[in-house]
Amino acid sequence: MYNTLSSALIEINEEIFKYIKLSVSEDFEIDANTIGFDLWSTLRDRYFISENPKDDFLQYKSMMMKIRNQKSFMHLTMAPTMECNFNCFYCFETNKPKGKMTPEVMDSIIKYIEAMPSLEKIYLTWFGGEPLLAIEHMELFYAKLTQRSFKSFDSNVITTGYHLSESVIRTLQKIKISSIQITLDGNKDRHNKVKRTDECDDVFSRILHNVDLVTQLAPEINVVFRVNTTKQNMTEFPELYKLLVMRYKGKNVSISPGIVQDRSSKTHSSSCFLNNKETYDFILDLWQNHKIYTPWIRYPQNTCSECAIRDNQAISFDAEGYAYKCWEMIGQRKYSIGKINKDGIVENVNRIVLNRQLYGADALSDPQCIECKFLPICTGGCPIQRIQNEFEDHSNEVCTIYKENIEEFLKIHLGLKESGYENH
C-alpha cells in the first residue's frame, strides 16, 4: 500500500489488504479489532485511513501554505547580464538587452534583502543570459551580500559552460558556488549545430575541456549536465550519457535529460517536443534497456516543496533591476512585477502579473486537483504552465507522469531496494 501524502509504502498480508479494499468499495469503517490496533494506528498516522478525505487535503494545504508564507528563507535569482554569445532557437531571450548589472542596482537589491529582518537563509541562483560574461559583477555582488551574515548561504550557476576558464573557476570557488548546471543539446554534432560562434567551431569539445578543468581545480563543485531532450535527439541520449559517465567516472558530475515540453499556444504547437506519455516511455526505456538512472526513477514522495513563484519571499532580478517571480520569465518585461528603486523597494508593481503568479490557476483551488490523490507528489505541476493555460490559451500538460504509471515506478523502486540501493 502506497500513500502520496505521507510517502509511506507498507507491506501487509493479503487477507487484510482485501479487507481494506472491501472497506473502500463498500464504504464502511476499518475496525481496529479486525486488523489489530498497531496496524490500524500505523494506517491512521500515515493517512491511509482518516475520518474524512477532506481532512487529508486540508493537511496537505496547511503544509503548502506554511511554505508559501515562510519568512526565514529566500530563493534569490540574479541575472547579472542578459547578454549571451549564442542564439539558441529555443531561447526566450530573442532581443537580448546589452549591459551588465551596475553597483547601484546591486545596492538596491541588498537593501531589499536587508528589509527582511526574519531572513536567515539565502539560496542564490545565477542566471542569464550567460552569467559568466559578468563574472566580475557576480564577485562584487557576493562581496556586498556577505557583509551581512546568514545562518545558511548556498549558490549555484546555470551556464552554457563555454566561459569556464581557470580564472572563472577560481572566482566561482571564491563566491561559494556549490553547483554548476550546464546545458547540452545532444551529442557533439547536434550541440554544435545549436550553439555556434564565429570564434569556435567545436563548442561541445570546449565545454567538456572546461568541465575537465572544474573537476581538477574545484572538485567540490558539483557539475550537472542537463541535456535538452526532444524527439529529434532523444535516441542520442544513451550514447551521450555513456560518453560522459566514462569521462567523468568518480568525479562530482551528474547527467540528466531535461525534457523539453511544448509550451506554445493551442494554435501554434510543435511536433518535436515530448508529451507525458512520450516522456514516460523514454524514461522507462532508459532504465529497462540501458540501465540509465534518471531523477524520475526516484521514489515518488511528498517532498513538502513548493515552486518559488508561489513563495512570497522568492524573487528574481535582471541586470537593470526589473523584478520577476519566475526565473523563466527574466528578460520578458511583460512578466515583470516591477522595478527596484534606489531605496530597495519594488515600485510600479504590475498587480495583474503579480496576482496571477502568486495566486492564479492555483492547484489548491482547482476542484480536479483537490480530488486528485497524486496532488502531494505533483503539487499541481508548474505554476507558470498552469497560468498560461488559464490566461494565455495554452494547453500545457501539468499532471505528473506518475499519474498513469505509479505502479511501474513503485516496482522499480522495490527492485532497487532489494538490490541494496537507497532510491530516494
Side-chain angles (χ1 to χ4, degrees), residues 85-86 130-133 135 138 157-173 177 179-183 203 205-218 221-225 248:
N85 50 323
F86 299 116
E130 172 49 62
L132 298 186
L133 287 172
I135 188 67
M138 294 168 62
V157 60
I158 298 173
T159 172
T160 63
Y162 187 78
H163 300 280
L164 283 168
S165 64
E166 181 174 347
S167 63
V168 167
I169 294 168
R170 295 301 187 197
T171 301
L172 295 181
Q173 286 180 302
I177 295 293
S179 177
I180 301 172
Q181 178 180 299
I182 296 174
T183 302
V203 171
S205 296
R206 173 165 171 165
I207 290 170
L208 297 197
H209 168 76
N210 291 347
V211 173
D212 292 343
L213 271 180
V214 176
T215 62
Q216 295 165 18
L217 301 176
I221 296 178
N222 175 229
V223 177
V224 180
F225 283 110
Y248 299 107

Side-chain angles (χ1 to χ4, degrees), residues 297-310:
I297 301 297
R298 290 185 191 137
Y299 180 67
Q301 59 185 317
N302 174 13
T303 56
C304 289
S305 62
E306 176 66 289
C307 178
I309 196 174
R310 305 294 195 188

Side-chain angles (χ1 to χ4, degrees), residues 228-270:
N228 283 339
T229 306
T230 67
K231 292 178 186 177
Q232 295 174 337
N233 70 357
M234 58 192 294
T235 58
E236 301 168 9
F237 185 85
E239 181 182 353
L240 176 59
Y241 179 90
K242 291 171 185 175
L243 181 152
L244 296 174
V245 165
M246 289 297 295
R247 183 165 181 146
Y248 299 107
K249 187 176 182 180
K251 308 293 185 180
N252 195 6
V253 176
S254 56
I255 309 103
S256 178
I259 305 300
V260 182
Q261 296 177 308
D262 191 353
R263 300 283 294 276
S264 50
S265 67
K266 292 178 181 178
T267 54
H268 297 89
S269 60
S270 173

Side-chain angles (χ1 to χ4, degrees), residues 5 47 49-62 364 367 369-372 375:
L5 183 56
Y47 305 114
I49 56 177
S50 60
E51 291 185 14
N52 190 320
K54 293 180 180 179
D55 290 324
D56 293 341
F57 168 73
L58 293 176
Q59 173 66 17
Y60 171 74
K61 184 176 181 178
S62 72
L364 298 181
C369 291
I370 290 172
E371 294 293 327
C372 181
L375 180 60

Side-chain angles (χ1 to χ4, degrees), residues 4 14 37 60 63 162-163 183 200 202 204 242 283 289 302 317 319 331 383 400 420 424:
T4 57
E14 188 173 3
F37 183 76
Y60 171 74
M63 296 175 184
Y162 187 78
H163 300 280
T183 302
C200 180
D202 188 0
F204 182 89
K242 291 171 185 175
I283 296 302
N289 296 319
N302 174 13
F317 291 101
T400 175
H424 296 291

Side-chain angles (χ1 to χ4, degrees), residues 241-408:
Y241 179 90
K242 291 171 185 175
L243 181 152
L244 296 174
V245 165
M246 289 297 295
R247 183 165 181 146
Y248 299 107
K249 187 176 182 180
K251 308 293 185 180
N252 195 6
V253 176
S254 56
I255 309 103
S256 178
I259 305 300
V260 182
Q261 296 177 308
D262 191 353
R263 300 283 294 276
S264 50
S265 67
K266 292 178 181 178
T267 54
H268 297 89
S269 60
S270 173
S271 60
C272 72
F273 302 132
L274 279 70
N275 61 31
N276 274 9
K277 175 63 167 58
E278 292 160 341
T279 298
Y280 166 73
D281 291 341
F282 172 64
I283 296 302
L284 205 60
D285 175 71
L286 289 181
W287 174 249
Q288 292 179 338
N289 296 319
H290 305 280
K291 287 296 176 270
I292 294 176
Y293 181 93
T294 60
W296 287 270
I297 301 297
R298 290 185 191 137
Y299 180 67
Q301 59 185 317
N302 174 13
T303 56
C304 289
S305 62
E306 176 66 289
C307 178
I309 196 174
R310 305 294 195 188
D311 185 341
N312 284 307
Q313 291 284 84
I315 196 163
S316 305
F317 291 101
D318 68 17
E320 295 180 50
Y322 284 93
Y324 307 81
K325 286 299 296 177
C326 175
W327 68 9
E328 284 191 18
M329 300 303 168
I330 291 178
Q332 301 183 70
R333 293 288 166 76
K334 69 177 183 178
Y335 293 111
S336 168
I337 62 171
K339 188 177 183 181
I340 199 165
N341 65 19
K342 61 182 180 62
D343 298 316
I345 298 170
V346 176
E347 57 184 5
N348 300 321
V349 174
N350 187 329
R351 292 291 172 185
I352 291 177
V353 172
L354 180 60
N355 289 338
R356 285 182 182 182
Q357 297 194 3
L358 278 175
Y359 315 115
D362 193 346
L364 298 181
S365 304
D366 185 325
Q368 282 187 304
C369 291
I370 290 172
E371 294 293 327
C372 181
K373 57 192 176 184
F374 291 93
L375 180 60
I377 59 172
C378 170
T379 69
C382 170
I384 281 293
Q385 293 184 33
R386 295 181 64 90
I387 291 165
Q388 288 175 333
N389 286 353
E390 183 165 327
F391 295 100
E392 300 178 23
D393 194 37
H394 285 230
S395 54
N396 300 312
E397 286 188 288
V398 294
C399 292
T400 175
I401 63 171
Y402 294 130
K403 191 170 184 177
E404 304 297 331
N405 312 289
I406 190 66
E407 289 188 16
E408 192 63 44

